[in-house]
Amino acid sequence: SNVGNMGGVGIFSDTGSYTIDLDIVGNVMASVGLTGTSDVNGGIVLGATSNINLRISENVVETVGLNAQANPAIGIAVTSASDVRVTGNRVVDVGPTGPVTFGFGIALLIILGRVDVVDNEVRRSTTPPPGGDASPWSALIIAAQGNVTVPGNVLEAFGSLPAAVIPLAKSCLFTDNQC
């Protein structure tokens, strides 16, 4: 499916909902979060829910929250889940190229069990400004208490945070990534 020119989030689940064996596959979300006034401006945002066995793959999320200086812009965000696989997604042009409050390309927070983030392309901007800025922006953050595997991704970020942040993991294999 194609979603475009939206003021809010492309795909969204609200607080209190739950999913089991959810596959979000093959979607195109272009120009979402245009108003920049949502609490979170994002392509795929699964809020504080219970997601079990979640797969997000082969999606295109681009031009997200370009006017979101005051509120976060996030390409793909998952909060409160178990066993998550994010693979083969293209997440580009997330947030404005100027200063932002904070933002992430892919944010996986409060995750239990296994996390696989494989073969994704994540770029804050397809054409970064020459000097960058000091905004807190990261291509990938994973806050998981389990085994984390992160191979073969392109993770481009500019700002004050590292391209990838992975605290708390029980074990982590981070290999063959371009940062």
Side-chain angles (χ1 to χ4, degrees):
S1 64
N2 294 313
V3 176
N5 294 326
M6 292 185 61
V9 175
I11 295 174
F12 176 76
S13 73
D14 208 349
T15 301
S17 62
Y18 70 91
T19 64
I20 299 173
D21 296 328
L22 177 64
D23 291 336
I24 300 175
V25 180
N27 298 285
V28 177
M29 281 147 285
S31 300
V32 294
L34 293 178
T35 62
T37 58
S38 299
D39 289 342
V40 174
N41 299 285
I44 299 171
V45 177
L46 305 180
T49 62
S50 178
N51 298 294
I52 300 170
N53 196 21
L54 173 62
R55 183 171 63 110
I56 301 172
S57 63
E58 304 303 325
N59 297 287
V60 175
V61 178
E62 57 188 17
T63 317
V64 176
L66 293 185
N67 297 317
Q69 283 89 3
N71 296 322
I74 302 173
I76 297 172
V78 176
T79 304
S80 186
S82 174
D83 298 325
V84 176
R85 182 166 177 81
V86 179
T87 181
N89 298 287
R90 181 171 192 262
V91 180
V92 297
D93 295 324
V94 178
T97 56
V100 296
T101 302
F102 71 90
F104 302 102
I106 298 173
L108 307 176
L109 307 172
I110 314 172
I111 309 297
L112 301 174
R114 183 162 188 79
V115 176
D116 298 309
V117 178
V118 182
D119 294 330
N120 297 285
E121 174 189 359
V122 183
R123 303 173 193 265
R124 179 173 171 187
S125 176
T126 51
T127 310
D133 66 43
S135 297
W137 199 97
S138 181
L140 175 66
I141 183 167
I142 302 172
Q145 293 184 337
N147 299 317
V148 176
T149 305
V150 184
N153 298 282
V154 174
L155 304 171
E156 289 185 2
F158 58 90
S160 62
L161 297 177
V165 179
I166 307 172
L168 307 175
K170 180 178 176 182
S171 69
C172 179
L173 176 62
F174 188 90
T175 184
D176 295 326
N177 295 290
Q178 178 183 335
C179 298

